[in-house]
Amino acid sequence: EADIYQTPRYLVIGTGKKITLECSQTMGHDKMYWYQQDPGMELHLIHYSYGVNSTEKGDLSSESTVSRIRTEHFPLTLESARPSHTSQYLCASSEGDTQYFGPGTRLTVL
Amino acid sequence: GQQVMQIPQYQHVQEGEDFTTYCNSSTTLSNIQWYKQRPGGHPVFLIQLVKSGEVKKQKRLTFQFGEAKKNSSLHITATQTTDVGTYFCAALSNSGYALNFGKGTSLLVTP
């Protein structure tokens, strides 16, 4: 198993709150990713990064934003959470083509 | 990107039966990867196939990459309850930096 961590693992918040989902990896990987996945459904890429100071939007439009100030850290922020943001958010990093996933954050917005 | 389609979406087998999931693309793939996600868990890398016609085995799992590099399959022999989960195939996007995942095949194994 790779060393990639996500916090919090579970989050229940009210509509309109600002939240930041944390993702860290200790493997020195340059490439990192955020996916959104509803239960039992496919993975949708929402953001990725080639390295420090680089971020790109993925295939699925998302109201979230990301930053990559340090190699090991790739946080995702929602400025104003809504019930439609309820989902699981998976962070991953890669060495070569293989991706290593964190345990995920299950977000519920009431 | 290099889109991949997976079939079937769901498969329910009795323990001991075999299982196969298929991944297809309309374009030639540079490589293909397979991941497994247990219920409530996160995807875990299983294998990568690169060469045309390549076949790789991991115990009861057999992975195959088509001769034209447009399709792949994962076959599980004599399924066990520990095989339960969703199996995803994935191919590099055109950017070369991200993966496009198939929709996955959810496998249920009953004793």
Side-chain angles (χ1 to χ4, degrees), chain A residues 27 29-31 33 93-100, chain B residues 33:
Chain A
M27 298 165 285
H29 291 169
D30 286 328
K31 290 179 279 187
Y33 312 83
S93 69
S94 68
E95 177 180 60
D97 297 335
T98 303
Q99 295 197 5
Y100 300 93
Chain B
Q33 300 180 28

Side-chain angles (χ1 to χ4, degrees), chain A residues 30-103:
Chain A
D30 286 328
K31 290 179 279 187
M32 295 188 74
Y33 312 83
W34 277 103
Y35 293 88
Q36 185 174 342
Q37 184 185 36
D38 292 327
M41 302 298 285
E42 62 198 285
L43 293 149
H44 293 287
L45 180 68
I46 51 175
H47 298 283
Y48 62 101
S49 168
Y50 308 147
V52 171
N53 293 327
S54 96
T55 60
E56 300 286 341
K57 289 190 178 293
D59 299 326
L60 181 68
S61 175
S62 174
E63 292 163 345
S64 59
T65 59
V66 292
S67 63
R68 190 88 184 277
I69 299 172
R70 303 198 317 265
T71 298
E72 62 270 22
H73 196 212
F74 191 38
L76 180 145
T77 298
L78 274 168
E79 290 293 332
S80 179
R82 295 205 302 270
S84 61
H85 296 138
T86 294
S87 189
Q88 174 167 249
Y89 293 82
L90 289 159
C91 179
S93 69
S94 68
E95 177 180 60
D97 297 335
T98 303
Q99 295 197 5
Y100 300 93
F101 285 82

Side-chain angles (χ1 to χ4, degrees), chain A residues 37-42, chain B residues 9-10 37 86 88 103 106:
Chain A
Q37 184 185 36
D38 292 327
M41 302 298 285
E42 62 198 285
Chain B
Q9 188 175 0
Y10 303 100
Q37 183 176 22
T86 301
F88 293 96
K103 292 189 176 184
S106 293

Side-chain angles (χ1 to χ4, degrees), chain B residues 10-52:
Chain B
Y10 303 100
Q11 187 79 54
H12 182 185
V13 300
Q14 294 288 322
E15 191 172 25
E17 293 181 336
D18 292 355
F19 159 78
T20 305
T21 173
Y22 300 91
C23 187
N24 298 293
S25 170
S26 58
T27 59
T28 302
L29 304 172
S30 55
N31 61 52
I32 195 153
Q33 300 180 28
W34 286 92
Y35 291 77
K36 177 184 179 181
Q37 183 176 22
R38 294 181 186 276
H42 58 277
V44 175
F45 173 77
L46 293 176
I47 209 157
Q48 177 171 276
L49 303 172
V50 178
K51 299 176 183 176
S52 169

Side-chain angles (χ1 to χ4, degrees), chain B residues 82-103:
Chain B
T82 53
D83 296 324
V84 165
T86 301
Y87 294 84
F88 293 96
C89 62
L92 273 180
S93 68
N94 288 339
S95 70
Y97 284 96
L99 287 176
N100 289 324
F101 282 82
K103 292 189 176 184

